[in-house]
Amino acid sequence: MKLPPLISVPLSWLYGMVVHIRHKLFDLKILRSEEFDIPVVCIGNLTVGGTGKTPVAELLIERFSEHYRVGVLSRGYRRKTKGFVLSTPASSARTIGDEPRQMKLKYPSVPVAVCEKRAEGIRLLRKAHPEIELIILDDAFQHRYVEPWVNILLMDYNNPVYRDRLLPWGRLRDTRNQIHRANFVLVTKCPDDLNPLDMRIVINSLGLFPYQSLYFTRMRQGEITPLFADRAVGKVREGDPVIAMSGIANPVPLLENLRKRFDVVAELTFDDHHTYRLSDMRRLEALFAAYPDAVVLTTEKDAVKLTNRKKVPEAVQQRLYYVPIHVSFVADSESEFLRQLELYVRTNQKYSLLHPE
């Protein structure tokens, strides 16, 4: 529920004051950030809601796994557990969160753990897997108890931080001036018709320092995939009737793309990190009765919460598909971004001293 300005504005000022004091305590070394002797690459944002961190994390897992033994640490948002939890392929979204479960299912050989206290989580993850040579720290830009080797900050093109306000007046959970701590800024979810003028407006509005690198990216939908391949009714083709179902922060881009490609006969939209229940399955079965030729299309993030066959009716299993999402860099700049990122990791002084060539 959105608060009226009379309440949200003073609460936003108070929240900003608390955040500013906290950052000042870190800057003055009164609160301490812990550094580690292996590369720690942090992915984060300044706002609540999705900016596309998971596709970026998956890109880094795939790239760094070519040369390093990679581990992943996340908070595990909306999980029902507390403290440090080391995931297994059998871990559920309830125990580790939907995004860490997605990464663990996709990369089963990569150690994935969750912990609210990131420094403690890194220590415990390395204790469990001493072979780890690089850690990807998911959604930790604002916490500061860990000093990463590299900070990657994401900003949704459609919700730029320079037009936003602090919570609860707006969606910022951290102050805009903290952008200066980022080594890389990735503008995500850019439109297909992005032009040089649009890019220049963003560049000028962010006002980054010379030591910071800026890249523009888009989210691309991959091949439609059945969640239960052994039950699937067949391949989903362009123009087929579909029921779009999602529980993500901003479903608008997904729905717009699906409407272009398919005949969207119904939409089920839930809150971000929605936990699917029997009542949701009943709604799907009712929609199947109304649209007997339709299948369900959902996100990969939602799909990982629907893998328990005992809780998903047979009729839903047969017609449940998901849409993988991956990040695509504008103007073929992905190779340059990865080259710069690897240079940061390789040339960090601590890393060079510990691993002389």
Side-chain angles (χ1 to χ4, degrees):
M1 182 176 123
K2 192 172 178 64
L3 296 172
L6 190 62
I7 298 175
S8 64
V9 172
L11 286 178
S12 178
W13 289 341
L14 180 61
Y15 177 78
M17 186 182 303
V18 172
V19 171
H20 174 76
I21 293 171
R22 179 177 177 274
H23 281 302
K24 201 67 178 175
L25 292 174
F26 275 106
D27 294 339
L28 295 173
K29 309 298 182 184
I30 297 171
L31 292 178
R32 294 282 180 175
S33 300
E34 186 169 347
E35 298 182 62
F36 291 88
D37 58 1
I38 63 172
V40 176
V41 179
C42 173
I43 305 168
N45 57 11
L46 297 181
T47 58
V48 296
T51 53
K53 291 187 296 295
T54 302
V56 173
E58 291 176 349
L59 171 67
L60 300 191
I61 291 171
E62 293 174 6
R63 180 67 175 204
F64 281 124
S65 292
E66 297 174 3
H67 306 290
Y68 299 90
R69 289 185 281 271
V70 174
V72 178
L73 181 68
S74 179
R75 174 186 171 189
Y77 185 64
R78 291 260 181 116
R79 62 187 170 113
K80 303 301 181 182
T81 56
K82 298 292 183 182
F84 178 82
V85 179
L86 183 63
S87 72
T88 71
S91 297
S92 69
R94 291 177 64 86
T95 58
I96 62 172
D98 45 21
E99 286 139 339
R101 174 167 165 75
Q102 176 180 322
M103 287 185 276
K104 186 61 181 179
L105 290 178
K106 189 173 286 188
Y107 311 103
S109 64
V110 173
V112 176
V114 295
C115 190
E116 302 92 339
K117 298 179 179 179
R118 306 308 170 84
E120 177 185 350
I122 290 176
R123 290 193 294 272
L124 293 173
L125 179 55
R126 294 183 70 187
K127 183 178 180 180
H129 288 275
E131 75 280 5
I132 288 175
E133 298 172 318
L134 181 147
I135 288 178
I136 296 172
L137 197 56
D138 180 38
D139 194 18
F141 184 80
Q142 75 278 15
H143 290 285
R144 295 199 65 177
Y145 283 103
V146 172
E147 183 64 42
W149 288 30
V150 184
N151 266 314
I152 302 172
L153 182 67
L154 275 56
M155 183 189 80
D156 185 343
Y157 176 87
N158 305 286
N159 296 290
V161 297
Y162 47 81
R163 294 181 191 162
D164 211 338
R165 307 276 187 173
L166 283 167
L167 292 169
W169 192 8
R171 296 171 59 85
L172 289 176
R173 57 180 175 177
D174 207 339
T175 55
R176 290 193 291 262
N177 63 4
Q178 289 303 308
I179 294 177
H180 79 273
R181 293 192 293 111
N183 304 97
F184 297 91
V185 176
L186 302 189
V187 182
T188 63
K189 305 183 181 181
C190 295
D192 288 339
D193 59 356
L194 182 72
N195 60 57
L197 178 59
D198 296 328
M199 297 168 70
R200 179 54 56 186
I201 291 171
V202 174
I203 293 168
N204 292 340
S205 299
L206 284 174
L208 300 182
F209 292 99
Y211 62 82
Q212 298 177 293
S213 298
L214 177 66
Y215 291 91
F216 293 86
T217 69
R218 301 183 177 101
M219 295 299 163
R220 295 300 190 197
Q221 295 183 1
E223 184 176 352
I224 305 298
T225 306
L227 184 57
F228 302 99
D230 59 330
R231 295 282 192 271
V233 294
K235 189 171 183 178
V236 181
R237 295 177 172 82
E238 300 277 329
D240 283 355
V242 302
I243 299 164
M245 182 175 74
S246 63
I248 56 178
N250 180 16
V252 174
L254 170 74
L255 293 172
E256 287 179 348
N257 192 284
L258 292 182
R259 292 186 194 115
K260 292 176 184 176
R261 300 175 59 191
F262 305 99
D263 177 18
V264 179
V265 296
E267 298 173 6
L268 290 180
T269 303
F270 302 100
D271 292 336
D272 194 17
H273 299 279
H274 176 71
T275 299
Y276 288 93
R277 300 176 174 84
L278 182 61
S279 57
D280 301 322
M281 300 300 101
R282 295 285 178 259
R283 289 178 67 182
L284 284 177
E285 290 180 314
L287 287 170
F288 289 156
Y291 306 102
D293 296 327
V295 300
V296 181
L297 285 188
T298 191
T299 70
E300 192 170 9
K301 174 178 164 180
D302 289 290
V304 300
K305 295 179 284 188
L306 294 163
T307 56
N308 190 337
R309 292 174 184 262
K310 295 179 181 178
K311 296 184 178 181
V312 180
E314 177 75 18
V316 177
Q317 291 184 34
Q318 293 174 354
R319 300 158 77 173
L320 183 56
Y321 294 74
Y322 67 89
V323 188
I325 301 294
H326 64 270
V327 61
S328 170
F329 282 68
V330 173
D332 297 323
S333 56
E334 178 180 320
S335 59
E336 174 62 18
F337 164 70
L338 292 173
R339 186 193 67 79
Q340 284 197 340
L341 180 58
E342 289 176 353
L343 188 62
Y344 266 94
V345 168
R346 288 201 313 270
T347 59
N348 186 287
Q349 186 178 8
K350 297 189 295 295
Y351 186 78
S352 299
L353 291 173
L354 287 165
H355 300 269
E357 294 184 358

